[in-house]
Amino acid sequence: MGAPRNRAFVRLFLVQASWNYRTMIGGGFLFALLPLLRGMGETGREEGGEGPGANPEGGGHMEAVMARHGGHFNSHPFLAGLALGAVARMERDGAPPEHIERFKDAVRSPLGSLGDALFWTGWLPLVMFLAAVLLLLGFPPLVVVMGALLLYNIPHLMVRRVTLDWGLALGSHAPARLREVGVAHLIEKVRDVGMGILGLLVGVLVSVGPGLTVPPRLPWLAAALALGVVFFRSGPAAGRVAYRMAPIVLILLFVLGSRL
């Protein structure tokens, strides 16, 4: 299933292309699933062969599968591959349609929540905070932009591919793999590091002179490191407050620092 898997992986980048309020990413999910469904021809499912769940009417089975998987579904786009691979594996193994639908209903909210926490409120802010620090310290903008793109997208692409492979290999047991690798713990660590970099950013902002001149004053950098430690050691509740208050704090401290 190498070629169908690769085609499905590429199509996953368009999983939100047909997003709408009725089916959410259902249309994109089906679009990405089609290569895997067609790849099941070797099992005989959609062609009336001898495999599990074989349908003597051939194409009728494929039409029914497409009708089911083109309906409502939602997930974080980076983790949708886990559900996609698991559904393809369950279809290949001949799981009853009602079991597959229950699986999709069960995983869509957790995959959405985990993806949002890991990427939208974890990894993305961390990368942006770090890029801002490097810019303020005088690194070339092109280097910072390219570095930020690589730092953000290499893990993101790895997650897309690995979760798709987990789904194809483990089927309905794939979500348990997320618990085994400690995704919840990873989210906490990413947020902790993000808080530390936010503290460093605050210190750098208040240390530069008018017009963002560099190099920053050493005492303010020391304060930045202290703030970074405080944010790094803060709990989840303190971290959420810091994220919400960060824009106001940055503006105030920047104005203060520019006048010192």
Side-chain angles (χ1 to χ4, degrees):
M1 194 179 278
R5 179 181 60 181
N6 292 335
R7 288 196 292 271
F9 175 71
V10 172
R11 290 188 178 201
L12 275 170
F13 289 93
L14 300 174
V15 74
Q16 291 181 299
S18 61
W19 191 97
N20 61 83
Y21 286 105
R22 185 172 65 86
T23 64
M24 300 294 183
I25 66 169
F29 185 86
L30 174 61
F31 176 70
L33 183 63
L34 282 175
L36 298 174
L37 294 178
R38 292 177 182 135
M40 292 188 307
E42 60 195 46
T43 69
R45 277 199 61 153
E46 73 273 25
E47 298 176 0
E50 301 296 329
N55 190 325
E57 297 180 359
H61 175 78
M62 176 64 82
E63 293 175 2
V65 171
M66 290 175 62
R68 285 192 285 108
H69 294 307
H72 180 272
F73 183 71
N74 199 26
S75 166
H76 191 281
F78 296 175
L79 296 181
L82 186 91
L84 187 84
V87 165
R89 176 62 183 265
M90 295 171 75
E91 290 285 355
R92 185 179 67 182
D93 292 346
E98 57 272 19
H99 290 181
I100 298 176
E101 290 304 310
R102 282 201 296 269
F103 171 82
K104 290 173 66 179
D105 289 341
V107 300
R108 60 187 181 187
S109 293
L111 290 181
S113 299
L114 284 174
D116 288 348
L118 181 58
F119 288 100
W120 296 162
T121 64
W123 189 240
L124 180 60
L126 185 156
V127 173
M128 293 299 99
F129 292 155
L130 181 59
V133 169
L134 295 179
L135 277 173
L136 292 173
L137 290 178
F139 283 78
L142 181 60
V143 172
V144 174
V145 170
M146 295 304 298
L149 288 173
L150 289 174
L151 182 61
Y152 180 76
N153 284 297
I154 288 176
H156 139 237
L157 293 174
M158 291 175 60
V159 167
R160 281 184 182 265
R161 187 59 190 234
V162 167
T163 52
L164 174 62
D165 291 344
W166 285 349
L168 288 169
L170 302 174
S172 61
H173 299 291
R177 185 74 176 128
L178 293 175
R179 291 194 300 269
E180 293 174 5
V181 299
V183 171
H185 182 67
L186 176 61
I187 290 172
E188 293 181 4
K189 290 301 181 184
V190 168
R191 286 180 172 174
D192 284 345
V193 174
M195 288 297 98
I197 296 177
L198 176 58
L200 181 60
L201 176 59
V202 171
V204 171
L205 273 173
V206 300
S207 68
V208 297
L212 299 180
T213 57
V214 292
R217 303 180 187 92
L218 291 179
W220 283 107
L221 273 182
L225 294 175
L227 280 171
V229 172
V230 170
F231 283 140
F232 184 82
R233 299 300 300 174
S234 64
R240 287 193 293 271
V241 172
Y243 273 119
R244 295 187 181 115
M245 295 299 296
I248 299 174
V249 173
L250 293 178
I251 292 172
L252 292 177
L253 291 181
F254 173 72
V255 173
L256 174 64
S258 66
R259 296 179 183 278
L260 295 178

Short mmCIF file of all heavy atoms in Angstrom, two decimals, residues 206-236:
data_model
loop_
_atom_site.label_atom_id
_atom_site.label_comp_id
_atom_site.label_asym_id
_atom_site.label_seq_id
_atom_site.Cartn_x
_atom_site.Cartn_y
_atom_site.Cartn_z
N VAL A 206 12.26 45.14 26.45
CA VAL A 206 12.47 46.29 27.31
C VAL A 206 13.94 46.68 27.39
O VAL A 206 14.27 47.72 27.97
CB VAL A 206 11.93 46.04 28.74
CG1 VAL A 206 10.44 45.76 28.69
CG2 VAL A 206 12.67 44.91 29.41
N SER A 207 14.82 45.88 26.82
CA SER A 207 16.24 46.20 26.90
C SER A 207 16.74 46.98 25.70
O SER A 207 17.78 47.63 25.78
CB SER A 207 17.06 44.91 27.04
OG SER A 207 16.98 44.17 25.84
N VAL A 208 16.04 46.92 24.59
CA VAL A 208 16.51 47.63 23.41
C VAL A 208 16.18 49.11 23.53
O VAL A 208 15.25 49.50 24.25
CB VAL A 208 15.88 47.06 22.13
CG1 VAL A 208 16.29 45.63 21.92
CG2 VAL A 208 14.36 47.17 22.18
N GLY A 209 16.94 49.91 22.85
CA GLY A 209 16.72 51.35 22.89
C GLY A 209 15.69 51.77 21.86
O GLY A 209 15.08 50.95 21.18
N PRO A 210 15.47 53.08 21.73
CA PRO A 210 14.52 53.59 20.73
C PRO A 210 14.92 53.13 19.33
O PRO A 210 16.08 53.10 18.97
CB PRO A 210 14.66 55.11 20.88
CG PRO A 210 15.19 55.32 22.27
CD PRO A 210 16.09 54.15 22.52
N GLY A 211 13.91 52.76 18.56
CA GLY A 211 14.18 52.27 17.22
C GLY A 211 14.69 50.84 17.20
O GLY A 211 15.24 50.40 16.20
N LEU A 212 14.53 50.11 18.31
CA LEU A 212 14.97 48.72 18.41
C LEU A 212 16.46 48.58 18.15
O LEU A 212 16.92 47.69 17.43
CB LEU A 212 14.18 47.83 17.43
CG LEU A 212 12.66 47.78 17.64
CD1 LEU A 212 12.02 46.86 16.61
CD2 LEU A 212 12.32 47.30 19.05
N THR A 213 17.24 49.50 18.69
CA THR A 213 18.68 49.42 18.52
C THR A 213 19.25 48.29 19.35
O THR A 213 18.75 47.96 20.41
CB THR A 213 19.36 50.74 18.94
OG1 THR A 213 19.01 51.04 20.30
CG2 THR A 213 18.91 51.88 18.05
N VAL A 214 20.30 47.67 18.87
CA VAL A 214 20.99 46.58 19.56
C VAL A 214 22.45 46.97 19.71
O VAL A 214 22.95 47.83 18.99
CB VAL A 214 20.83 45.26 18.77
CG1 VAL A 214 19.41 44.77 18.79
CG2 VAL A 214 21.32 45.42 17.34
N PRO A 215 23.23 46.36 20.60
CA PRO A 215 22.85 45.24 21.45
C PRO A 215 22.05 45.66 22.67
O PRO A 215 22.15 46.79 23.11
CB PRO A 215 24.21 44.66 21.88
CG PRO A 215 25.11 45.85 21.88
CD PRO A 215 24.65 46.72 20.75
N PRO A 216 21.26 44.76 23.27
CA PRO A 216 20.47 45.09 24.44
C PRO A 216 21.35 45.28 25.67
O PRO A 216 22.48 44.80 25.73
CB PRO A 216 19.54 43.88 24.60
CG PRO A 216 20.26 42.78 23.93
CD PRO A 216 21.05 43.38 22.81
N ARG A 217 20.82 45.97 26.64
CA ARG A 217 21.55 46.19 27.89
C ARG A 217 21.61 44.90 28.70
O ARG A 217 20.60 44.21 28.87
CB ARG A 217 20.86 47.29 28.70
CG ARG A 217 20.72 48.62 27.96
CD ARG A 217 20.03 49.65 28.82
NE ARG A 217 19.76 50.86 28.07
CZ ARG A 217 18.63 51.10 27.42
NH1 ARG A 217 17.67 50.20 27.44
NH2 ARG A 217 18.44 52.23 26.77
N LEU A 218 22.75 44.58 29.23
CA LEU A 218 22.93 43.32 29.95
C LEU A 218 22.02 43.17 31.17
O LEU A 218 21.50 42.07 31.41
CB LEU A 218 24.40 43.18 30.37
CG LEU A 218 25.38 42.94 29.21
CD1 LEU A 218 26.80 42.83 29.76
CD2 LEU A 218 25.01 41.68 28.45
N PRO A 219 21.79 44.22 31.98
CA PRO A 219 20.88 44.04 33.13
C PRO A 219 19.49 43.60 32.72
O PRO A 219 18.86 42.79 33.39
CB PRO A 219 20.87 45.43 33.79
CG PRO A 219 22.15 46.05 33.39
CD PRO A 219 22.41 45.57 32.01
N TRP A 220 19.02 44.15 31.60
CA TRP A 220 17.68 43.75 31.15
C TRP A 220 17.68 42.31 30.63
O TRP A 220 16.69 41.60 30.78
CB TRP A 220 17.18 44.71 30.07
CG TRP A 220 16.70 46.01 30.62
CD1 TRP A 220 17.32 47.22 30.54
CD2 TRP A 220 15.51 46.21 31.38
NE1 TRP A 220 16.58 48.17 31.20
CE2 TRP A 220 15.46 47.58 31.72
CE3 TRP A 220 14.47 45.38 31.80
CZ2 TRP A 220 14.42 48.14 32.46
CZ3 TRP A 220 13.42 45.92 32.55
CH2 TRP A 220 13.41 47.28 32.87
N LEU A 221 18.78 41.90 30.04
CA LEU A 221 18.85 40.49 29.62
C LEU A 221 18.82 39.57 30.83
O LEU A 221 18.22 38.49 30.79
CB LEU A 221 20.12 40.26 28.81
CG LEU A 221 20.03 40.54 27.31
CD1 LEU A 221 21.35 40.20 26.64
CD2 LEU A 221 18.90 39.76 26.68
N ALA A 222 19.49 39.98 31.91
CA ALA A 222 19.44 39.19 33.14
C ALA A 222 18.01 39.11 33.65
O ALA A 222 17.53 38.04 34.07
CB ALA A 222 20.35 39.81 34.19
N ALA A 223 17.28 40.23 33.59
CA ALA A 223 15.87 40.23 33.99
C ALA A 223 15.06 39.33 33.07
O ALA A 223 14.12 38.64 33.50
CB ALA A 223 15.32 41.64 33.97
N ALA A 224 15.42 39.34 31.79
CA ALA A 224 14.70 38.48 30.83
C ALA A 224 14.86 37.01 31.19
O ALA A 224 13.90 36.24 31.17
CB ALA A 224 15.22 38.74 29.42
N LEU A 225 16.09 36.63 31.52
CA LEU A 225 16.32 35.23 31.89
C LEU A 225 15.56 34.86 33.16
O LEU A 225 15.02 33.76 33.28
CB LEU A 225 17.82 34.99 32.08
CG LEU A 225 18.67 35.11 30.81
CD1 LEU A 225 20.15 34.97 31.16
CD2 LEU A 225 18.25 34.07 29.79
N ALA A 226 15.50 35.80 34.10
CA ALA A 226 14.75 35.54 35.33
C ALA A 226 13.27 35.36 35.03
O ALA A 226 12.62 34.44 35.55
CB ALA A 226 14.95 36.69 36.32
N LEU A 227 12.74 36.23 34.16
CA LEU A 227 11.33 36.08 33.77
C LEU A 227 11.11 34.76 33.04
O LEU A 227 10.08 34.10 33.21
CB LEU A 227 10.91 37.24 32.87
CG LEU A 227 10.57 38.56 33.55
CD1 LEU A 227 10.39 39.66 32.52
CD2 LEU A 227 9.31 38.41 34.40
N GLY A 228 12.08 34.37 32.22
CA GLY A 228 11.96 33.11 31.53
C GLY A 228 11.86 31.94 32.48
O GLY A 228 11.05 31.03 32.29
N VAL A 229 12.67 31.96 33.54
CA VAL A 229 12.61 30.89 34.54
C VAL A 229 11.25 30.87 35.23
O VAL A 229 10.65 29.81 35.45
CB VAL A 229 13.74 31.06 35.57
CG1 VAL A 229 13.57 30.08 36.72
CG2 VAL A 229 15.09 30.88 34.90
N VAL A 230 10.74 32.07 35.56
CA VAL A 230 9.44 32.14 36.23
C VAL A 230 8.35 31.56 35.35
O VAL A 230 7.53 30.74 35.79
CB VAL A 230 9.11 33.61 36.59
CG1 VAL A 230 7.66 33.73 37.06
CG2 VAL A 230 10.05 34.11 37.67
N PHE A 231 8.33 31.96 34.07
CA PHE A 231 7.31 31.45 33.17
C PHE A 231 7.49 29.95 32.94
O PHE A 231 6.53 29.20 32.81
CB PHE A 231 7.36 32.19 31.83
CG PHE A 231 6.74 33.55 31.87
CD1 PHE A 231 7.32 34.61 31.20
CD2 PHE A 231 5.57 33.78 32.59
CE1 PHE A 231 6.75 35.87 31.24
CE2 PHE A 231 4.99 35.03 32.63
CZ PHE A 231 5.58 36.08 31.96
N PHE A 232 8.75 29.50 32.86
CA PHE A 232 9.01 28.09 32.62
C PHE A 232 8.49 27.21 33.75
O PHE A 232 8.00 26.12 33.54
CB PHE A 232 10.51 27.87 32.45
CG PHE A 232 10.89 26.46 32.11
CD1 PHE A 232 10.80 26.01 30.80
CD2 PHE A 232 11.33 25.58 33.09
CE1 PHE A 232 11.14 24.70 30.49
CE2 PHE A 232 11.67 24.28 32.78
CZ PHE A 232 11.57 23.84 31.47
N ARG A 233 8.60 27.73 34.99
CA ARG A 233 8.18 26.96 36.15
C ARG A 233 6.71 27.16 36.47
O ARG A 233 6.18 26.53 37.38
CB ARG A 233 9.02 27.37 37.37
CG ARG A 233 10.51 27.12 37.21
CD ARG A 233 10.81 25.66 36.96
NE ARG A 233 10.35 24.83 38.07
CZ ARG A 233 10.38 23.50 38.08
NH1 ARG A 233 10.84 22.86 37.03
NH2 ARG A 233 9.95 22.83 39.11
N SER A 234 6.03 28.05 35.75
CA SER A 234 4.63 28.31 36.06
C SER A 234 3.77 27.13 35.64
O SER A 234 4.07 26.40 34.70
CB SER A 234 4.15 29.59 35.35
OG SER A 234 4.21 29.42 33.96
N GLY A 235 2.67 26.94 36.35
CA GLY A 235 1.73 25.88 36.04
C GLY A 235 0.88 26.23 34.84
O GLY A 235 0.96 27.32 34.28
N PRO A 236 0.00 25.29 34.41
CA PRO A 236 -0.85 25.54 33.25
C PRO A 236 -1.72 26.78 33.39
O PRO A 236 -1.88 27.54 32.45
CB PRO A 236 -1.69 24.27 33.17
CG PRO A 236 -0.89 23.23 33.88
CD PRO A 236 -0.15 23.96 34.96
#
